[in-house]
Amino acid sequence: MEGRLHLPASAADALAAMDDLIATSIVGQQEFARNLGLSVTDLICFAYVLGAGDSPVTAGDLARRAHVTTGAVTGVINRLERGGFVTRRPDPADRRRVLVAAVPAAAERVRAVYEPYNTLLERLFADYTQEEIAVLADWFSRAGALARTYLEESCET
């Protein structure tokens, strides 16, 4: 599909629109988490587990990615396990480490919560050309990397 006409916008316009999207997304994450019986941190950690696919993640990886202590991530994993979202087992290579994997039925529950929103986003992407989508994907990837770097550097000081 041919992209629609896009009006000129400044970097300030784009940043304001991004700020609004982020704020709305934060509120949305809180609602999605509440609907699933989770905290936002629990949902974020579960998303990291889901993102790993068939490869279990370690508790330490979750703590680093979610910027919580290893003690706090233990509580997250306990809640996720009690809620039927994850399983955990000792790492056969290092029994001091815990490997965390998603429970398939829970992954489907979470996908069902997000699916209507993802469908709306897919419809929105249909308004753009493949070249425009490539620019958006590049921008989101680079902005995400920049945000992670900034967060890491900010936490070091």
Side-chain angles (χ1 to χ4, degrees):
M1 166 179 265
E2 178 107 5
R4 59 191 174 112
L5 176 63
H6 301 286
L7 300 175
S10 67
D13 295 332
L15 285 172
M18 183 182 74
D19 284 345
D20 182 57
L21 173 62
I22 290 169
T24 304
S25 294
I26 289 169
V27 172
Q29 290 298 319
Q30 291 169 339
E31 284 300 307
F32 290 156
R34 186 184 59 75
N35 288 337
L36 291 163
L38 300 172
S39 72
V40 172
T41 301
D42 295 351
L43 181 59
I44 288 167
C45 287
F46 187 63
Y48 290 143
V49 172
L50 285 178
D54 293 334
S55 303
V57 298
T58 67
D61 290 339
L62 288 178
R64 277 188 295 285
R65 300 249 352 240
H67 287 265
V68 297
T69 65
T70 54
V73 88
T74 298
V76 168
I77 295 168
N78 287 343
R79 288 188 299 276
L80 289 173
E81 188 174 44
R82 273 194 312 270
F85 288 88
V86 301
T87 58
R88 69 172 133 196
R89 61 179 163 58
D91 184 341
D94 181 350
R95 295 201 93 31
R96 296 169 294 173
R97 290 182 359 169
V98 172
L99 297 178
V100 182
V103 171
E108 285 306 312
R109 280 182 30 220
V110 171
R111 284 187 191 101
V113 168
Y114 280 90
E115 190 172 328
Y117 182 57
N118 287 339
T119 298
L120 293 171
L121 289 173
E122 288 170 8
R123 288 184 195 151
L124 180 60
F125 278 122
D127 288 342
Y128 295 86
T129 66
Q130 288 299 310
E131 293 79 17
E132 290 170 327
I133 293 171
V135 169
L136 289 168
D138 175 67
W139 192 91
F140 285 130
S141 295
R142 291 173 57 195
L146 184 140
R148 282 185 295 279
T149 299
Y150 184 78
L151 180 61
E152 293 298 325
E153 290 172 356
S154 296
C155 290
E156 290 174 3
T157 59

